[in-house]
């Protein structure tokens, strides 16, 4: 079940808000390891942010994940460095960031396309 722990905004290069979601925060090893696995659904305005202790190349997979996702890799400057769109459930294929990332945001598949979110945009988030 989704636990609303904050808000995240996707911003254009000019700082305009492209969209905003409620976020669940995965900020320790156990929460990052669990992620969205075994969830059956997620609201259109919901997502999860993974916060890593260090900025480095990240890699995700979709094992035990029932929901198709867009996986958004974000560097320490809060810039989107890569979007892996429409990641398929249950896949064990590696989904790399290609660039250094400190944050990873997961939203429902198609969200980025629907809201015009692209590499080079940025994010800001606030915890409750």
């Amino acid at each position: 079940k989704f636990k609303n722990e904050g808000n995240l905004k996707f911003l254009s290069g000019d700082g305009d808000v492209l969209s905003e979601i409620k976020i669940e925060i995965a900020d320790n090893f156990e929460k990052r390891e669990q992620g969205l696995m075994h969830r059956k659904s997620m609201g259109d305005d919901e997502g999860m942010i993974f916060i890593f202790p260090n900025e480095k190349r990240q890699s995700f997979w979709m094992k035990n994940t029932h929901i198709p996702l867009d996986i958004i890799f974000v560097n320490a400057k809060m810039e989107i460095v890569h979007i892996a769109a429409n990641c398929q459930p249950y896949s064990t294929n590696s989904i790399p960031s290609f660039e250094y990332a400190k944050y990873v945001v997961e939203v429902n598949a198609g969200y980025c396309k629907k809201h015009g979110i692209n590499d080079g945009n940025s994010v800001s988030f606030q915890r409750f």
Side-chain angles (χ1 to χ4, degrees):
K1 184 166 171 120
F2 182 79
K3 183 178 178 186
N4 188 2
E5 298 176 310
N7 289 319
L8 183 141
K9 294 178 183 177
F10 293 97
L11 306 168
S12 71
D14 296 331
D16 296 328
V17 176
L18 298 170
S19 69
E20 186 172 350
I21 58 171
K22 300 174 211 160
I23 52 168
E24 193 166 339
I25 299 171
D27 58 358
N28 63 41
F29 179 80
E30 293 79 20
K31 289 179 182 178
R32 287 190 300 266
E33 188 173 49
Q34 178 65 36
L36 292 171
M37 289 194 309
H38 306 293
R39 305 256 181 120
K40 300 290 185 192
S41 65
M42 186 167 58
D44 290 339
D45 65 341
E46 297 173 346
M48 179 174 279
I49 186 168
F50 297 77
I51 303 172
F52 291 91
N54 300 303
E55 184 180 45
K56 64 179 189 175
R57 286 189 175 94
Q58 306 292 344
S59 183
F60 276 53
W61 66 352
M62 296 288 290
K63 184 177 182 181
N64 299 320
T65 305
H66 304 294
I67 309 164
L69 299 171
D70 286 351
I71 300 178
I72 305 158
F73 297 94
V74 179
N75 68 19
K77 296 177 187 174
M78 307 305 283
E79 300 164 335
I80 297 172
V81 295
H82 178 64
I83 299 171
N86 299 306
C87 297
Q88 294 307 301
Y90 313 111
S91 173
T92 57
N93 292 337
S94 176
I95 303 164
S97 63
F98 297 109
E99 303 291 336
Y100 285 90
K102 183 171 174 63
Y103 308 95
V104 178
V105 181
E106 292 182 340
V107 292
N108 286 311
Y111 186 90
C112 291
K113 184 175 182 181
K114 178 179 179 181
H115 295 280
I117 299 164
N118 297 296
D119 292 0
N121 292 150
S122 60
V123 302
S124 68
F125 73 93
Q126 180 178 27
R127 291 178 192 254
F128 294 146

